[in-house]
Amino acid sequence: MLVGSPLIDAHKVIKTMSKNIKYADAIRALAMDAVQKANSGHPGMPMGMADIATVLWQKHLRHNPANPNWVNRDRFVISNGHGSMLLYSLLHLSGYDLSIEELKNFRQLHSKTPGHPEYGVTPGVETTTGPLGQGVANAVGMAIAEKVLASDFNRPNHEVINHFTYVFLGDGCLMEGVSHEVCSLAGTLGLNKLVLFYDDNGISIDSEKGEMSSWFSDDTPKRFEAYGWNVIRDIDGHDPEQIDTAIIQAKASSNKPTIICCKTIIGKGSPKKQNTGSSHGAPLGEDEVIATREALGWPHAPFEIPDEVYSVWNAQAKGQALENEWAELQNSYQNKYPGLNKELHRRLSGKLPSDWIEKLDSEIQIWDAKSEKLATRKASQNALEFMGPNLPELIGGSADLAASNLTMWSGSNPIGAARTGNYLFYGVREFGMAAIMNGLALHGGFIPYGATFLVFSDYCRNALRVAALMNLRSIFVFTHDSIGLGEDGPTHQPVEHAASLRLIPNLDVWRPCDAVETMVAWGAMINRVDGPSCLLATRQGVPHQEKTSGQIKDISKGAYVLSDADDPQAIIVATGSEVSLAIDAQRVLEAEGVLTRVVSMPSTDVFDRQDSDYREAVLPNGLPKVAVEAGVTDFWRKYVGIEGAVVGVDTFGESAPAAALYEHFGVTVQAVVNAVRAIKN
């Protein structure tokens, strides 16, 4: 019988680990060998956390290597993602589809073992980590998802959603501000199935032996106690029995997340480099690798793992037994609660309700008939009023600006420690919010949206980038999108933000001009399954723009001809609140005998993905072009060319009412008219 069988007493495994066969040393050997072969990487963390990982994975982690996407698996996140060889070693040894050849190709082009774990590249990797702190933030999102899904779908004796989220993290993650944001919120929400393992080794990149206290002297246990966490102190991270006892205690927590503070030795086993900064992010060196093998008593050649070690590590039989046990429970659930079961699996699959598109199209027609003048932030809230009842997978929130971002709808139900719902008050935690949203999306069962002011997207940017890298269906709502917010002044008036967001690959940015475009944008963001989206919405009211049914259909293409002429002499391209300026300028020019075409371009990203025929039909070569947007001008040169003109703002804002600011910065009807005259001549 394999030791990896679910029938083996796990305590025997713990005892065996301290004897001759050191199963944690298999991780240490693979980590140092892969880093040495690549001549690049971070051996210190994998070698230091190998004992913790061995206990967690061999005794406690519920997973199935044959099905990395098993719905009820425990989630395991390495937030200190530079230690990726720890995760790759665990996946390989446990029986995932990750061969020894892939470990030999660590950090090489197109391998399944990139320098930092990448979601969608390696089976068993739950999230892309490396930017420190984001992994633990994603994990908080995963734990929230588990809590809410369990509340929504579990029934007595049918806990079909019931799993833990485990996180490895180090001093770097805890120094990053985002960890403060998300761990504070996790304590407030009482996420008792979230367990962190703190790799307390006293070393960071700039330190050699102990100097880190000069720049990081926090009392981490007290910090987490203040957050309302269950804190397990002073665990020897190399003592399997202590680690096992701590995990059992953590899993027993009924109302608090847990941090297990583990004293470890970075690079453990390396005679000259353990407990030094030099083991953090560089190969040990060939001589030191040989010396480490001798010190560990590991006589095997590089990348050679004995069969007896593989047999202990292999979790395929145990994993399949765990999933089979859950499948029996799920079958009973299906028989007793067929409607709930169908809805649960629809949501976990990411598929939208079958009548979603039909309902959306009908609602857009209703909105068009209303012809309302609204701020697009209000139109966004109205869109949520429609979508909320039709899409129960929506889970929203705002960074302490719900009344300004208008992200709550009549059915919003706040999530708290003793209750679950569909809305999160994130507090003033923009970065934490964005990264938690990514964790919600990664877990499955939810489409997260979250909001703040556009100018504060700077605080979210790293999470936005990683969402795009992972192709996540996360929706970011950024209101107060221009100098049009007025009196708050330049600190709150975004001028470069729309353009900079558009530079992030795979991030769709929508800046609608009216309520109808806002609803179409929401539909497009919901329908998109291969990446995140941003909605940039106005504070000020904007007029309804008349459209045909064909034009409404073309909104989803990112840009369309809103108002045309028989033989236009120039094209005006505009977005958001500036579309109305373009339409007014068109009328002035027409009175002068200058015919123009007005193109509304709510999403440059989506427009750029259209085929060349459509793009040429909307913006034909040979016609001079003027772009108008209350932001920086350089971005628009890709559409208007050097010979064209851009009406925008290339400085910071001022404190004044919105109308005065538009006049002051020259973003006016007359400025657009003058620009068209100049390029036409």
Side-chain angles (χ1 to χ4, degrees):
M1 185 183 298
L2 293 179
V3 181
S5 164
L7 302 179
I8 285 293
D9 184 348
H11 285 288
K12 292 181 181 178
V13 175
I14 299 296
K15 291 178 180 179
T16 303
M17 284 190 294
S18 63
K19 294 183 178 181
N20 295 332
I21 301 176
K22 301 176 183 179
Y23 302 112
D25 287 345
I27 296 172
R28 295 187 174 97
L30 287 173
M32 69 179 181
D33 288 344
V35 171
Q36 190 63 40
K37 185 174 186 298
N39 196 30
S40 174
H42 300 75
M45 181 281 241
M47 298 174 74
M49 297 195 80
D51 297 301
I52 305 169
T54 299
V55 177
L56 176 64
W57 277 61
Q58 290 194 1
K59 181 172 181 184
H60 295 277
L61 193 73
R62 294 171 58 87
H63 64 118
N64 182 5
N67 183 11
N69 298 317
W70 172 32
V71 168
N72 202 44
R73 69 192 181 278
D74 289 337
R75 271 57 171 180
F76 176 70
V77 174
I78 289 186
S79 188
N80 41 358
H82 53 270
S84 58
M85 268 309 303
L86 173 62
L87 180 53
Y88 299 150
S89 299
L90 290 165
L91 294 170
H92 169 73
L93 292 168
S94 296
Y96 284 76
D97 183 18
L98 193 67
S99 68
I100 195 71
E101 293 304 315
E102 292 291 353
L103 270 61
K104 292 178 180 178
N105 286 327
F106 178 56
R107 291 191 162 217
Q108 303 309 300
L109 186 64
H110 303 314
S111 76
K112 291 183 181 180
T113 51
H116 292 80
E118 293 184 27
Y119 175 72
V121 172
T122 314
V125 170
E126 299 285 0
T127 180
T128 297
T129 56
L132 293 177
Q134 282 210 61
V136 64
N138 296 161
V140 171
M142 294 173 189
I144 293 171
E146 191 276 342
K147 178 176 181 175
V148 176
L149 272 185
S151 176
D152 288 349
F153 289 98
N154 287 354
R155 293 298 181 267
N157 301 316
H158 289 83
E159 294 186 341
V160 289
I161 302 296
N162 181 14
H163 61 79
F164 284 85
T165 301
Y166 297 104
V167 186
F168 281 11
L169 79 170
D171 295 299
C173 289
L174 293 177
M175 283 187 252
E176 290 286 359
V178 68
S179 73
H180 295 257
E181 296 182 27
V182 301
C183 292
S184 169
L185 184 60
T188 299
L189 295 179
L191 301 178
N192 62 296
K193 290 185 179 178
L194 176 65
V195 180
L196 310 189
F197 295 84
Y198 169 32
D199 182 25
D200 184 9
N201 58 40
I203 297 293
S204 70
I205 294 175
D206 283 346
S207 67
E208 265 303 308
K209 291 188 178 180
E211 299 93 335
M212 192 177 71
S213 59
S214 299
W215 58 85
F216 185 58
S217 59
D218 297 14
D219 188 329
T220 296
K222 284 185 178 179
R223 168 184 158 189
F224 277 80
E225 286 174 351
Y227 290 156
W229 283 57
N230 176 34
V231 178
I232 302 176
R233 297 168 176 259
D234 299 326
I235 296 300
D236 182 345
H238 306 295
D239 183 328
E241 292 185 2
Q242 284 192 37
I243 297 164
D244 180 48
T245 300
I247 297 173
I248 292 170
Q249 182 181 339
K251 290 165 68 176
S253 176
S254 62
N255 61 352
K256 294 180 180 181
T258 298
I259 183 169
I260 302 173
C261 301
C262 302
K263 294 291 184 180
T264 61
I265 299 172
I266 191 171
K268 181 172 173 57
S270 172
K272 293 182 179 179
K273 295 194 174 181
Q274 70 176 17
N275 202 33
T276 69
S278 60
S279 71
H280 168 86
L284 298 181
E286 291 184 5
D287 291 343
E288 188 66 9
V289 167
I290 294 171
T292 302
R293 272 185 158 72
E294 293 177 355
L296 293 174
W298 185 265
H300 313 291
F303 299 103
E304 180 183 307
I305 304 295
D307 289 343
E308 58 185 333
V309 174
Y310 272 128
S311 71
V312 170
W313 266 110
N314 192 295
Q316 291 175 333
K318 179 181 178 181
Q320 193 60 59
L322 289 169
E323 184 170 355
N324 289 345
E325 180 184 3
W326 175 84
E328 290 181 9
L329 177 67
Q330 201 273 327
N331 286 337
S332 175
Y333 180 81
Q334 181 179 7
N335 292 332
K336 194 166 186 178
Y337 307 103
L340 280 175
N341 181 74
K342 182 178 180 181
E343 176 65 7
L344 173 61
H345 286 275
R346 179 195 70 77
R347 286 178 53 174
L348 289 170
S349 73
K351 294 180 180 178
L352 299 173
S354 58
D355 59 354
W356 160 249
I357 296 296
E358 181 181 350
K359 286 184 176 180
L360 175 64
D361 290 344
S362 177
E363 188 71 11
I364 290 170
Q365 292 174 22
I366 293 171
W367 281 36
D368 185 55
K370 287 182 180 178
S371 303
E372 289 183 292
K373 178 180 179 178
L374 291 173
T376 51
R377 63 169 174 161
K378 179 58 179 175
S380 174
Q381 185 180 47
N382 291 349
L384 288 169
E385 287 288 351
F386 159 72
M387 291 184 294
N390 291 295
L391 298 172
E393 54 264 55
L394 276 178
I395 185 166
S398 176
D400 203 45
L401 290 168
S404 294
N405 299 146
L406 302 184
T407 45
M408 296 190 78
W409 57 285
S410 58
S412 291
N413 183 18
I415 298 167
R419 64 186 185 275
T420 62
N422 59 6
Y423 194 85
L424 282 157
F425 288 107
Y426 284 103
V428 188
R429 301 181 179 102
E430 293 91 350
F431 190 3
M433 174 184 70
I436 287 171
M437 287 167 57
N438 291 343
L440 287 162
L442 285 160
H443 181 278
F446 295 98
I447 301 175
Y449 68 91
T452 185
F453 291 166
L454 177 56
V455 76
F456 300 141
S457 64
D458 286 338
Y459 290 135
C460 307
R461 186 166 298 271
N462 205 284
L464 293 174
R465 183 178 188 273
V466 177
L469 184 63
M470 289 193 279
N471 305 308
L472 298 183
R473 189 195 252 169
S474 296
I475 297 174
F476 304 94
V477 178
F478 297 123
T479 68
H480 297 60
D481 69 344
S482 72
I483 58 172
L485 71 88
E487 292 85 349
D488 280 341
T491 60
H492 284 56
Q493 292 167 9
V495 290
E496 78 277 22
H497 296 74
S500 64
L501 290 175
R502 291 172 182 139
L503 294 177
I504 299 176
N506 198 40
L507 177 68
D508 283 358
V509 179
W510 290 87
R511 188 169 184 252
C513 78
D514 65 3
V516 173
E517 282 195 2
T518 303
M519 177 59 96
V520 173
W522 260 110
M525 295 189 296
I526 292 291
N527 291 336
R528 188 178 187 211
V529 298
D530 59 353
S533 304
C534 297
L535 180 75
L536 314 187
T538 66
R539 177 195 186 193
Q540 72 274 29
V542 290
H544 171 77
Q545 300 296 334
E546 294 294 332
K547 306 172 191 69
T548 67
S549 59
Q551 288 172 317
I552 292 174
K553 183 179 179 180
D554 285 343
I555 294 171
S556 62
K557 297 178 181 178
Y560 63 102
V561 179
L562 175 61
S563 181
D564 210 356
D566 289 338
D567 189 16
Q569 299 164 272
I571 299 175
I572 307 172
V573 184
T575 75
S577 49
E578 287 69 68
V579 169
S580 62
L581 295 180
I583 291 293
D584 290 344
Q586 182 190 45
R587 296 187 182 116
V588 172
L589 289 162
E590 184 179 12
E592 297 177 0
V594 178
L595 301 181
T596 59
R597 166 183 289 184
V598 173
V599 170
S600 177
M601 190 178 285
S603 178
T604 62
D605 311 279
V606 175
F607 177 69
D608 289 348
R609 291 200 297 269
Q610 304 306 308
D611 61 55
S612 58
D613 288 344
Y614 182 78
R615 287 185 277 116
E616 172 65 18
V618 174
L619 296 178
N621 291 321
L623 279 180
K625 302 172 183 69
V626 172
V628 53
E629 183 174 63
V632 293
T633 61
D634 276 357
F635 173 84
W636 290 100
R637 289 294 170 187
K638 66 185 287 188
Y639 299 106
V640 304
I642 297 175
E643 69 282 359
V646 184
V647 176
V649 181
D650 283 319
T651 184
F652 295 111
E654 296 282 352
S655 294
L661 290 172
Y662 272 86
E663 189 68 32
H664 172 73
F665 287 109
V667 184
T668 62
V669 171
Q670 192 58 51
V672 178
V673 168
N674 292 342
V676 171
R677 288 173 180 162
I679 64 168
K680 184 183 74 68
N681 296 331

